[in-house]
């Protein structure tokens, strides 16, 4: 791994002081290559905190442009970037925050057709998309590529986060669950309204996106216990966190053996 420069040592001093992270952990962050799907409500805090943490390479996949209605929650963008591609706006914000971070832009929506091109060269995927087609495409592609996936979702006043490594086994030697073990199929179209129809509290995306960034940092540095086989639920109105455990379905586990 590349050594840290004197500027990087000063910048990341509070990380390096943590025995669980230290200089070695900071070097792992510098060497990491993370693809973030979506530069919107969830992707904004993910990108900001991973850039601030010193993740060396950040990929951004998004085909949208910044609009005025985004700014209530998509805090990596600002009034001056309205009309810009979100990938460009986010890349410029990251450059201002941390010039040591390299950004790779994919100005197209993540899909099964683009998955191979998007995932190549990355070692961790974070899905902050806002639609079920992309979520399932990201989960299937990350599983096939044997890449860890952190995925989150939000709705009105609540959200969820989980981490997936379905290509590995747990402490008991059983295959870890996949996204489809948690959510076997997308809900019928129109059953769950988009935030443009139902609304969403802006700060909620900051809570969930920051938790997703924390999961990524844990995976990269090898500290703590990632949310593998656990779905973390947050109720913003009640200020309550709950954790639900889930497992690989037996039929899928048998097929994986």
């Amino acid at each position: 791994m590349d050594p840290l420069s004197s500027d990087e040592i000063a910048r990341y001093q509070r990380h390096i002081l943590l025995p669980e992270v230290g200089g070695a952990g900071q070097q792992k962050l510098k060497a990491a290559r993370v693809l973030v799907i979506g530069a919107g409500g969830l992707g904004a805090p993910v990108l900001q905190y991973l850039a601030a943490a010193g993740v060396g390479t950040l990929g951004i996949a998004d085909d949208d442009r910044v609009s005025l209605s985004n700014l209530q929650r998509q805090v990596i963008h600002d009034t001056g970037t309205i009309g810009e591609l979100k990938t460009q706006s986010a890349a410029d914000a990251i450059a201002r925050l941390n010039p040591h971070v390299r950004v790779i832009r994919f100005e197209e929506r993540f899909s099964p057709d683009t998955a191979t091109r998007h995932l190549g060269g990355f070692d961790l995927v974070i899905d902050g998309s806002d639609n079920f087609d992309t979520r399932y495409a990201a989960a299937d592609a990350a599983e096939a590529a044997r890449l860890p996936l952190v995925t989150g979702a939000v709705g009105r006043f609540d959200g969820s986060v989980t981490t997936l490594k379905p290509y590995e086994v747990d402490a008991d030697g059983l295959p870890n669950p996949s996204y489809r073990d948690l959510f076997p199929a997308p809900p019928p179209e129109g059953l769950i309204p988009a935030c443009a129809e139902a609304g969403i509290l802006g700060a909620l995306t900051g809570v969930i996106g920051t938790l997703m960034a924390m999961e990524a940092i844990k995976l990269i540095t090898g500290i703590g216990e990632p949310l593998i086989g656990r779905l973390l639920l947050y109720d913003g109105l009640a200020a309550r966190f709950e954790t639900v455990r889930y497992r690989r379905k037996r039929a899928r586990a048998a097929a994986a053996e």
Side-chain angles (χ1 to χ4, degrees), residues 143 146 148 162-182 219 226-230 245-250 252-254 256-257:
E143 180 176 4
R146 300 177 66 84
T162 193
T163 295
L164 298 154
K165 279 189 172 184
Y167 49 87
E168 292 183 354
V169 298
D170 62 19
D172 297 323
L174 299 174
N176 288 327
S178 74
Y179 189 76
R180 290 180 183 272
D181 292 307
L182 182 60
L219 289 167
L227 287 167
I228 298 171
R230 295 183 295 148
R245 292 190 175 272
Y246 62 99
R247 297 178 178 240
R248 176 73 68 109
K249 296 287 191 293
R250 289 184 178 181
R252 285 178 51 82
E257 293 176 354

Side-chain angles (χ1 to χ4, degrees), residues 69-122:
S69 64
N70 296 152
L71 303 185
Q72 161 255 15
R73 64 199 177 282
Q74 300 181 19
V75 293
I76 201 167
H77 312 298
D78 58 53
T79 305
T81 65
I82 291 172
E84 286 187 13
L85 287 164
K86 288 184 179 178
T87 53
Q88 183 64 63
S89 172
D92 291 343
I94 289 168
R96 292 190 296 270
L97 177 62
N98 190 347
H100 299 287
V101 178
R102 177 190 178 210
V103 174
I104 300 173
R105 294 161 48 199
F106 299 99
E107 290 158 0
E108 56 190 354
R109 178 168 293 205
F110 188 95
S111 70
D113 294 333
T114 64
T116 300
R117 180 166 63 255
H118 287 177
L119 296 181
F122 292 97

Side-chain angles (χ1 to χ4, degrees), residues 53-54 63 83 180 187 190 201 204 215 225 252:
D63 66 344
R180 290 180 183 272
L201 194 65
L204 172 67
E215 282 295 292
E225 182 183 356
R252 285 178 51 82

Side-chain angles (χ1 to χ4, degrees), residues 11-12 15 26 47-55 58 97-98 101:
R11 179 182 288 267
Y12 309 125
H15 274 178
Q26 193 61 51
L47 289 165
Q48 288 175 313
Y49 271 102
L50 293 188
V55 170
L58 289 172
L97 177 62
N98 190 347
V101 178

Side-chain angles (χ1 to χ4, degrees), residues 200-221:
I200 188 167
L201 194 65
L204 172 67
T205 61
V207 174
I208 301 301
T210 303
L211 289 168
M212 293 167 71
M214 183 68 183
E215 282 295 292
I217 291 170
K218 286 159 54 182
L219 289 167
I220 294 166
T221 59

